[in-house]
Amino acid sequence: MFITPNSLLMAETTTQIHNLPYFATARITDILIGAVIGLIGVLLVGSRSASSLLPHLIAKTIRSQSQLFFKLFSEQKNESTFDWSKERNKMRTNLINLRTVYTTALGEISNNKTELEYLSPVIFSMEQLGYLLESSSKNSNRPVLSDEILAYFLLVFETMAKSVEQHDSVTKKKVPEIEGYSKLQKEIISLQDALQLVQDQVNFALK
């Protein structure tokens, strides 16, 4: 509103051509051409950029939750809190980024809102899992899980992350019980169910 009229007045006063309509037409033409180029760029390059990032961010967040889980329930739990607090902060950052990208994807042009809505339970379950892991970090009486059980939990998390990256149905695995942490066990099961449901709904929609 202010720059364009000012530039038109400056252009007219600094030239021998006193033709305001000429400068106004040139300026408006430049603005329209720039706007069209910008719209084309958004449509071709950025219209689905957030949507395309979601699988990577979901897998990355699951892996960060896996690493925090390992730090909390392995023999390292009694060591310096620096390591697991670093993993906790990494998980927090990933969850915040995931929620931001998901919200951005919902507002994209030409997005597949139905497919994005399928992901809502997955995002919710991951946030709940993150909350439970953070709550577990405040309890110094956490049990130390055996190497075999820890390795199995890591396999469960990695299976979920891989299924998202490969756009494949997750292979549900039995989640071992953790004494005093039944909610954590149930949330991991819920995340598996949510991921499986997403892929089943997407496959059904494709048919």
Side-chain angles (χ1 to χ4, degrees), residues 97-117:
N97 290 341
L98 178 59
R99 171 56 70 178
T100 302
V101 171
Y102 179 70
T103 304
T104 303
L106 289 173
E108 285 181 334
I109 301 171
S110 304
N111 67 9
N112 188 339
K113 287 197 173 182
T114 303
E115 187 173 338
L116 287 173
E117 286 171 359

Side-chain angles (χ1 to χ4, degrees), residues 152-160 173-175 188 192:
Y152 187 80
F153 269 107
L154 293 179
L155 176 63
V156 171
F157 280 106
E158 183 60 26
T159 301
M160 291 190 289
K173 296 185 178 297
K174 184 178 179 180
V175 180
I188 296 173
Q192 286 191 108

Side-chain angles (χ1 to χ4, degrees), residues 69-146:
F69 181 92
F70 176 80
K71 294 288 184 182
L72 292 176
F73 294 99
S74 68
E75 292 180 350
Q76 300 179 23
K77 81 180 188 73
N78 293 321
E79 297 179 4
S80 170
T81 59
F82 174 75
D83 285 338
W84 63 256
S85 62
K86 183 174 70 173
E87 294 296 339
R88 182 188 62 190
N89 292 336
K90 187 189 299 183
M91 181 196 70
R92 281 180 183 173
T93 301
N94 287 334
L95 281 170
I96 292 170
N97 290 341
L98 178 59
R99 171 56 70 178
T100 302
V101 171
Y102 179 70
T103 304
T104 303
L106 289 173
E108 285 181 334
I109 301 171
S110 304
N111 67 9
N112 188 339
K113 287 197 173 182
T114 303
E115 187 173 338
L116 287 173
E117 286 171 359
Y118 293 157
L119 284 174
S120 181
V122 174
I123 307 295
F124 176 77
S125 182
M126 291 175 69
E127 289 175 334
Q128 289 294 107
L129 181 57
Y131 169 77
L132 291 173
L133 286 171
E134 287 206 40
S135 298
S136 302
S137 68
K138 299 172 184 176
N139 184 3
S140 58
N141 296 321
R142 298 185 302 274
V144 175
L145 302 180
S146 66

Side-chain angles (χ1 to χ4, degrees), residues 176-196:
E177 292 183 8
I178 308 173
E179 185 178 355
Y181 291 85
S182 58
K183 289 184 179 179
L184 191 57
Q185 178 201 21
K186 290 177 182 177
E187 199 57 52
I188 296 173
I189 295 172
S190 296
L191 181 54
Q192 286 191 108
D193 292 338
L195 287 169
Q196 187 177 55

Side-chain angles (χ1 to χ4, degrees), residues 25-56:
T25 303
R27 182 68 176 173
I28 291 172
T29 302
D30 289 345
I31 291 172
L32 290 175
I33 291 173
V36 170
I37 292 173
L39 286 171
I40 292 173
V42 169
L43 290 172
L44 294 180
V45 179
S47 62
R48 292 183 59 83
S49 58
S51 300
S52 63
L53 287 174
L54 278 174
H56 169 72

